[in-house]
Amino acid sequence: MSETEKTNEVEERAGLGNPPEWLQGALIGSPTSSGVTVTPDSALSITAVYAAVRVIAETLAALPLKVYKDNSDGTRQEFRENTLWRLLHDEPNTEMSSYTFREVMTGNALTHGNGYAEIVRDGAGRPAELWPLLPDNMQIQVDGGELFYVYDQRVVLKPSQILHIKSYSSDGVIGKSPIRLAREALGLTVAAEKMGGDRFSNAAHPGGVLEHP
């Protein structure tokens, strides 16, 4: 099978005619017994979730990220001349600083379970830019022992074109979303907040009327 035929086959299997489980979860969220639909984005409305994600993402983004090279005597030194120094330490693309990029990637990994970025290469094949991708728009497929990333249902990317940061994974390929794993507890939290909000909006007066003969 040619590369073009293989790409077409992967694109066809990623069609919207029969949305896979990952897409259904992204579009309509994960149902809970409390009746509240929980998604990685909606869970950020919970104060504790937002605070935890923000603190971890901002802390990791603020840590120094440098590129080193090994010397023949066993020591190492900063390798500022390397292309990766600019991408990782300074700016991965024309719109983001290294801090912002790492904050976005970490936040996506913490909420969606996976942080993706496209690796744009120059004419010599060296990484030139890193652009974050929306986790909900990404699908990972394995065809003939080869792994592909299908983005936005139509763009097929090879592993060499993707920087993939995973949360905990049971298969080493796709990270598990902590939000979806904890959706029952989060759904109960949202339901309790809504119930409390409804009660206070009614001046804490219970609804209904009690009658006695």
Side-chain angles (χ1 to χ4, degrees), residues 76-94:
R76 67 174 187 173
Q77 66 183 77
E78 294 181 359
F79 197 4
R80 295 174 179 267
E81 297 77 17
N82 191 289
T83 305
L84 294 178
W85 179 279
R86 177 183 61 81
L87 291 180
L88 300 177
H89 185 272
D90 298 330
E91 55 177 27
N93 57 64
T94 57

Side-chain angles (χ1 to χ4, degrees), residues 121-126:
R121 300 179 182 273
D122 59 18
R126 296 169 301 190

Side-chain angles (χ1 to χ4, degrees), residues 12 16 27 31 43 60 73 80 112-114 126 177 191 193:
E12 181 179 351
L16 287 172
L27 295 178
L60 289 180
D73 59 359
R80 295 174 179 267
H112 294 76
N114 300 276
R126 296 169 301 190
S177 167
E193 288 184 350

Side-chain angles (χ1 to χ4, degrees), residues 13 19 39 45 54 56 88 91-92 95 98-99 123 126 136-137 139 158 176-177 191:
R13 289 192 287 109
T39 68
S45 64
R54 182 182 63 81
I56 296 174
L88 300 177
E91 55 177 27
E95 303 295 332
S98 175
Y99 178 94
R126 296 169 301 190
D136 282 341
N137 291 5
Q139 181 185 12
K158 298 179 180 180
K176 292 182 178 294
S177 167

Side-chain angles (χ1 to χ4, degrees), residues 64-134:
L65 181 58
K66 301 179 180 181
V67 178
Y68 294 89
K69 67 176 180 179
D70 295 327
N71 298 320
S72 57
D73 59 359
T75 61
R76 67 174 187 173
Q77 66 183 77
E78 294 181 359
F79 197 4
R80 295 174 179 267
E81 297 77 17
N82 191 289
T83 305
L84 294 178
W85 179 279
R86 177 183 61 81
L87 291 180
L88 300 177
H89 185 272
D90 298 330
E91 55 177 27
N93 57 64
T94 57
E95 303 295 332
M96 297 180 180
S97 64
S98 175
Y99 178 94
T100 300
F101 174 78
R102 287 184 282 156
E103 184 182 31
V104 170
M105 293 290 286
T106 303
N108 286 340
L110 290 172
T111 54
H112 294 76
N114 300 276
Y116 302 101
E118 181 181 3
I119 304 173
V120 180
R121 300 179 182 273
D122 59 18
R126 296 169 301 190
E129 294 179 323
L130 297 172
W131 288 94
L133 301 174
L134 296 174

